[in-house]
Amino acid sequence: MQVTRLNEVKIYSLSTGPSLPEWISSKKKRAVQKKNVDVRRRIELIQDFNMPTVSTTIKVSRDGQYIMATGTYKPRIRCFDTYQLSLKFERCLDSEVVTFDILSDDYSKIVFLHCDRYIEFHSQHGYYYKTRIPKFGRDFSYHYPSCDLYFVGARENNVCDINPIHCLFATGTAEGKVECWDPRTRNRVGVLDCALSSVTADTEIDGLPSISALKFNGALNMAVGTSTGQILLYDLRSNNPLVIKDHLYGLPIKSILFQDPLDLIISADSRIIKMWNKDTGKIFTSMEPEHAINDVCLYPNSGMLLMANEDPKMNIYYIPVLGPAPRWCSFLDSLTEELEENPESTVYDDYKFVTRKDLENLGLAHLIGSPLLRAYMHGFFMDIKLYHKVKMMVNPFAYEEYRKEKIRQKIEETRAQRVQLKKLPKVNKELALKLIEEEEEQQPARKKKRKNLPNILTDDRFKVMFENPDFQVDEKSEEFRLLNPLVSKISEKRKKKLKILEQQAAQEQEKEEEPEGKPSDAESSETSDDEKGWVEEVRKQRKLIRQEEKVKRQERFKEDQQTTLKPQFFEIKTGEEFRSFKDSVKKQKLTKKTLGDRLKLQEKLGTLSVSDTTVGSKQMSFKLKQSEQQKKQQEAEKQHHQERKNIRRSASHLKSKRGRRRPF
């Protein structure tokens, strides 16, 4: 939902947002709604409220339940049920519709004026009757007392209307005149020359303006729209217009509506819709849609505006100032109220945002709380002109500083065109230099293959490697020296380059300007060593490592001689007995054996049992080892149980003997 504001009047566009085509299945529509946020957040007030290509006219039934619109292509009419918020029916026609009217309170009686001179009547079930008029029709009106249809045709008349109170029939001609007729006598009762009244000193016209729109309001008021973009409001008792309003676009007026509660007139041409006061002509608000306007309809007793335009989607606007939302979409009132309670913040181009510290620097802290500053978030908005004036007064040398800054930028741009020095990190400089050289060597091959491989120096994953000193490569370690036998010679070359680069950086800092084109003698044309030199280098490294190991052994031997051994005491836990150190030796031997050997030993000792299951797998059960105390307790329990069994046996034996001795 898009919100626009003009003259403090909020206009909510309910048809903005992407629309989905009709032929997409419901499953695909749900998938698109899940992926696209704009589709999910849109407000679809009436389902499929559109036309295949263009909508030409739109009207609302008198009971307010049905919205009917005509369009192309193919020529058709669509009826939307507001109570169901969906399409009621669709009927295709033989030719395009110029205009239509709903004769009944609902959709049961409709009249269509076609572009091929045919007039078609439709009832509730569909097509009912068709007839033809002698000239191409442009507009018609229905006379309710006599049930007559008045048509106006080409060359002479463009529009017509019947007053709803005294049934005066008025028609606008191509010559810029309005003729009024009495249907009872069928005679003309008056003529208004609107073309002459619409021309003023300020207006510029190329030809004679014709009448393009006509609308009655009450018994005495009538609004006339011309082809040059003027609206004239008349009182039928006077030949002179009360108000003349110009759209200033020079386009013909297509629709005129009256909004009585606020005394407004809604006029529309193909580009803009304007709402203005009918007494003063003062503009109330306006709307400029993206596509050309064909017809405008105001929903009765509400603030909803319907529009047919040169686009498949028909626009729906809601203006709360004009009236409440219709009964079938009353939720719009609560929705707009919530939006007004949480308004979106806006930043103006004509204002400068300043903080409290900026105000103190400019000496404007005393303006806090005055109308010149508008509080916003952690600062204030102030007029941009006032800001520039105060800044020039506080800092009169701002132009000189600006000029110096521009000169400095120009000098830096010229320096950037020179030969750039290699900037190496603080940690692992030699490794970084090695990576740079490898990258320079591999650049031609990469260009041929067109592959962009990642660079370790610029990769964030290896950033700490060249920043944290803990990752510094130790070149004196044995592993590094054995894995890189030629590191000594290569490192010497890199060290020379590092020294040259450091000297160049120092000279660059000392001198502000340096003459370009100096050849660098850092590069040397030394050839790589052959296999013989490589073997000799490896032998030297091994000899050095052996010598270092001998020195370390001697130092350790001296330290061992100087140290004196002291006895160590160990404490045994409660409940355990000291056996010997042989148990620990046995445990160490067991840990060295494989799992299979250990399982066999446990089977022999009886602590492990392996059995086959019915499924075909094997089942293993273990018994935990018991301490000496646990074994003694188990033996005592066994003796106790055995003694009780013996006592019970002896008691039962005595009872049996006594039973035998009893007399009968």
Side-chain angles (χ1 to χ4, degrees):
M1 185 168 62
Q2 185 179 0
V3 184
T4 57
R5 179 183 291 183
L6 182 63
N7 293 340
E8 300 300 325
V9 178
K10 286 188 176 181
I11 302 170
Y12 297 89
S13 179
L14 306 179
S15 55
T16 54
S19 58
L20 300 175
E22 298 178 359
W23 44 267
I24 288 182
S25 62
S26 58
K27 186 177 180 181
K28 288 185 177 180
K29 285 182 180 179
R30 288 194 297 269
V32 172
Q33 287 175 357
K34 288 180 181 178
K35 293 179 181 179
N36 197 334
V37 180
D38 296 333
V39 174
R40 191 165 61 249
R41 290 182 178 177
R42 65 175 180 166
I43 296 177
E44 193 174 11
L45 196 62
I46 300 174
Q47 189 178 3
D48 299 330
F49 193 68
N50 51 27
M51 282 286 173
T53 308
V54 172
S55 54
T56 54
T57 55
I58 187 167
K59 293 183 185 295
V60 181
S61 62
R62 283 197 291 272
D63 59 2
Q65 184 177 354
Y66 303 101
I67 300 173
M68 306 189 73
T70 60
T72 57
Y73 179 81
K74 301 178 179 179
R76 69 191 65 203
I77 181 171
R78 286 184 174 179
C79 178
F80 300 92
D81 191 347
T82 58
Y83 292 174
Q84 302 296 328
L85 299 178
S86 60
L87 182 67
K88 177 73 174 178
F89 64 83
E90 179 184 13
R91 298 173 186 171
C92 289
L93 306 170
D94 295 336
S95 58
E96 294 183 9
V97 177
V98 178
T99 185
F100 76 99
D101 197 5
I102 304 170
L103 305 183
S104 60
D105 293 340
D106 54 5
Y107 67 92
S108 58
K109 296 178 182 178
I110 314 170
V111 181
F112 298 97
L113 174 61
H114 290 274
C115 61
D116 55 355
R117 294 192 296 160
Y118 276 100
I119 299 159
E120 195 169 333
F121 297 87
H122 281 227
S123 62
Q124 192 170 5
H125 63 83
Y127 170 79
Y128 179 74
Y129 181 72
K130 192 174 184 179
T131 186
R132 199 172 189 183
I133 55 176
K135 292 186 178 181
F136 291 97
R138 291 190 174 175
D139 197 8
F140 70 92
S141 294
Y142 179 64
H143 188 251
Y144 282 93
S146 61
C147 298
D148 292 335
L149 281 172
Y150 291 89
F151 292 88
V152 293
R155 292 185 184 181
E156 292 293 334
N157 301 303
N158 295 329
V159 291
C160 64
D161 193 22
I162 293 178
N163 192 292
I165 296 175
H166 49 68
C167 299
L168 183 67
F169 176 74
T171 177
T173 66
E175 298 175 354
K177 296 181 180 179
V178 176
E179 297 181 357
C180 296
W181 297 74
D182 188 355
R184 296 170 297 180
T185 60
R186 300 194 177 187
N187 293 324
R188 190 173 66 185
V189 294
V191 179
L192 286 173
D193 194 351
C194 301
L196 185 62
S197 301
S198 64
V199 177
T200 59
D202 299 332
T203 56
E204 295 181 2
I205 56 173
D206 298 332
L208 187 66
S210 59
I211 308 300
S212 59
L214 184 65
K215 188 69 176 178
F216 279 106
N217 181 36
L220 300 175
N221 292 331
M222 179 181 65
V224 179
T226 64
S227 59
T228 54
Q230 291 88 21
I231 300 100
L232 296 87
L233 183 62
Y234 282 95
D235 189 326
L236 294 178
R237 296 169 294 184
S238 174
N239 292 329
N240 298 321
L242 301 175
V243 179
I244 300 175
K245 185 67 178 178
D246 195 348
H247 271 215
L248 302 176
Y249 283 108
L251 299 172
I253 305 298
K254 292 197 170 185
S255 177
I256 299 174
L257 302 171
F258 285 89
Q259 212 277 342
D260 294 328
L262 297 178
D263 294 333
L264 297 177
I265 294 177
I266 303 172
S267 56
D269 56 22
S270 60
R271 185 170 180 179
I272 192 171
I273 299 173
K274 287 191 175 184
M275 302 180 191
W276 44 281
N277 190 282
K278 67 179 182 181
D279 297 326
T280 61
K282 185 178 179 181
I283 191 71
F284 181 72
T285 189
S286 63
M287 294 178 289
E288 287 193 54
E290 296 180 3
H291 305 280
I293 303 168
N294 289 330
D295 193 15
V296 177
C297 177
L298 183 66
Y299 195 90
N301 303 320
S302 73
M304 182 172 286
L305 199 67
L306 309 173
M307 186 175 68
N309 53 12
E310 294 288 328
D311 188 62
K313 187 185 293 184
M314 293 181 284
N315 293 338
I316 303 175
Y317 296 96
Y318 176 54
I319 308 170
V321 180
L322 298 182
R327 184 177 59 182
W328 49 272
C329 58
S330 58
F331 61 88
L332 289 176
D333 290 327
S334 58
L335 185 63
T336 53
E337 286 175 3
E338 289 178 3
L339 292 174
E340 288 177 0
E341 289 176 1
N342 302 317
E344 294 183 358
S345 57
T346 55
V347 180
Y348 303 103
D349 296 333
D350 297 335
Y351 288 83
K352 173 71 176 177
F353 180 78
V354 291
T355 60
R356 191 178 292 270
K357 188 176 180 180
D358 296 336
L359 292 174
E360 291 175 357
N361 295 334
L362 295 173
L364 299 177
H366 62 281
L367 294 179
I368 297 174
S370 64
L372 297 175
L373 295 178
R374 179 185 175 186
Y376 181 78
M377 293 178 69
H378 62 282
F380 305 90
F381 272 120
M382 66 180 299
D383 189 30
I384 191 71
K385 295 180 181 178
L386 177 62
Y387 174 78
H388 288 310
K389 285 181 181 179
V390 174
K391 193 173 182 182
M392 287 297 295
M393 292 172 66
V394 172
N395 190 7
F397 301 103
Y399 177 73
E400 291 295 330
E401 294 177 359
Y402 172 76
R403 185 171 171 274
K404 289 179 182 178
E405 183 66 22
K406 282 292 182 184
I407 292 170
R408 189 184 63 79
Q409 290 177 1
K410 288 287 184 184
I411 293 170
E412 288 180 356
E413 288 177 2
T414 55
R415 283 179 179 174
Q417 297 173 1
R418 302 174 188 167
V419 178
Q420 297 292 325
L421 297 176
K422 296 176 182 177
K423 294 182 179 179
L424 298 175
K426 296 180 180 179
V427 183
N428 291 326
K429 290 184 179 180
E430 293 186 6
L431 178 61
L433 187 61
K434 178 186 175 183
L435 293 171
I436 291 169
E437 289 175 356
E438 289 178 355
E439 188 180 1
E440 288 176 356
E441 291 175 359
Q442 293 175 2
Q443 271 184 357
R446 287 180 184 176
K447 286 181 180 179
K448 289 180 181 179
K449 293 180 180 180
R450 296 181 180 179
K451 289 183 178 180
N452 295 324
L453 298 176
N455 190 0
I456 296 176
L457 293 171
T458 58
D459 198 336
D460 294 335
R461 295 175 295 176
F462 306 99
K463 188 178 180 182
V464 185
M465 186 176 171
F466 301 99
E467 292 179 355
N468 193 347
D470 295 336
F471 291 93
Q472 179 68 42
V473 177
D474 187 7
E475 297 180 359
K476 295 181 180 179
S477 62
E478 295 179 8
E479 294 83 1
F480 183 82
R481 289 163 66 181
L482 289 173
L483 290 171
N484 299 277
L486 296 177
V487 73
S488 59
K489 289 189 176 182
I490 296 170
S491 62
E492 286 177 2
K493 295 178 185 178
R494 293 204 182 102
K495 283 176 182 177
K496 287 180 182 178
K497 284 190 178 183
L498 284 172
K499 288 180 181 178
I500 293 166
L501 290 172
E502 288 174 359
Q503 290 175 2
Q504 288 179 357
Q507 291 175 3
E508 187 69 21
Q509 290 178 358
E510 291 175 359
K511 298 179 182 180
E512 292 182 356
E513 294 182 357
E514 182 184 2
E516 298 181 2
K518 278 192 176 181
S520 63
D521 56 350
E523 297 179 359
S524 61
S525 61
E526 295 182 359
T527 59
S528 61
D529 297 331
D530 54 358
E531 293 181 359
K532 187 177 179 180
W534 181 79
V535 173
E536 290 178 356
E537 188 66 30
V538 171
R539 287 174 182 173
K540 287 180 183 179
Q541 293 292 334
R542 284 180 179 174
K543 286 180 181 179
L544 291 171
I545 291 168
R546 287 171 186 171
Q547 290 175 2
E548 290 175 359
E549 286 179 354
K550 284 182 181 180
V551 173
K552 288 179 180 178
R553 286 173 188 171
Q554 291 175 1
E555 290 177 355
R556 288 174 186 171
F557 182 72
K558 289 178 181 179
E559 289 178 358
D560 293 339
Q561 287 180 348
Q562 291 176 1
T563 56
T564 57
L565 297 173
K566 294 180 181 180
Q568 293 182 355
F569 297 95
F570 298 94
E571 186 179 355
I572 300 172
K573 293 182 180 179
T574 57
E576 292 185 358
E577 295 179 358
F578 176 73
R579 296 176 183 175
S580 65
F581 293 102
K582 293 181 180 179
D583 294 337
S584 61
V585 176
K586 289 180 180 179
K587 288 180 180 178
Q588 289 179 359
K589 288 181 179 179
L590 284 172
T591 54
K592 291 180 181 178
K593 289 184 178 182
T594 60
L595 179 63
D597 295 338
R598 281 182 278 172
L599 292 174
K600 288 178 182 178
L601 286 172
Q602 288 179 2
E603 284 183 7
K604 290 179 181 179
L605 296 172
T607 57
L608 174 69
S609 63
V610 182
S611 61
D612 296 331
T613 61
T614 56
V615 185
S617 60
K618 288 192 175 183
Q619 183 178 357
M620 300 173 67
S621 59
F622 295 88
K623 292 181 181 179
L624 297 176
K625 289 183 179 180
Q626 296 178 349
S627 62
E628 294 294 332
Q629 289 183 355
Q630 289 177 350
K631 288 180 180 179
K632 289 179 181 179
Q633 287 178 1
Q634 286 182 359
E635 289 177 359
E637 287 177 358
K638 285 181 180 179
Q639 290 177 2
H640 180 67
H641 287 300
Q642 190 66 31
E643 289 175 356
R644 292 186 69 180
K645 284 182 181 179
N646 295 331
I647 291 167
R648 287 174 183 170
R649 285 177 183 175
S650 60
S652 61
H653 183 66
L654 291 170
K655 284 181 181 179
S656 61
K657 285 182 178 181
R658 288 176 184 175
R660 289 173 185 173
R661 291 176 182 176
R662 284 180 185 176
F664 293 98

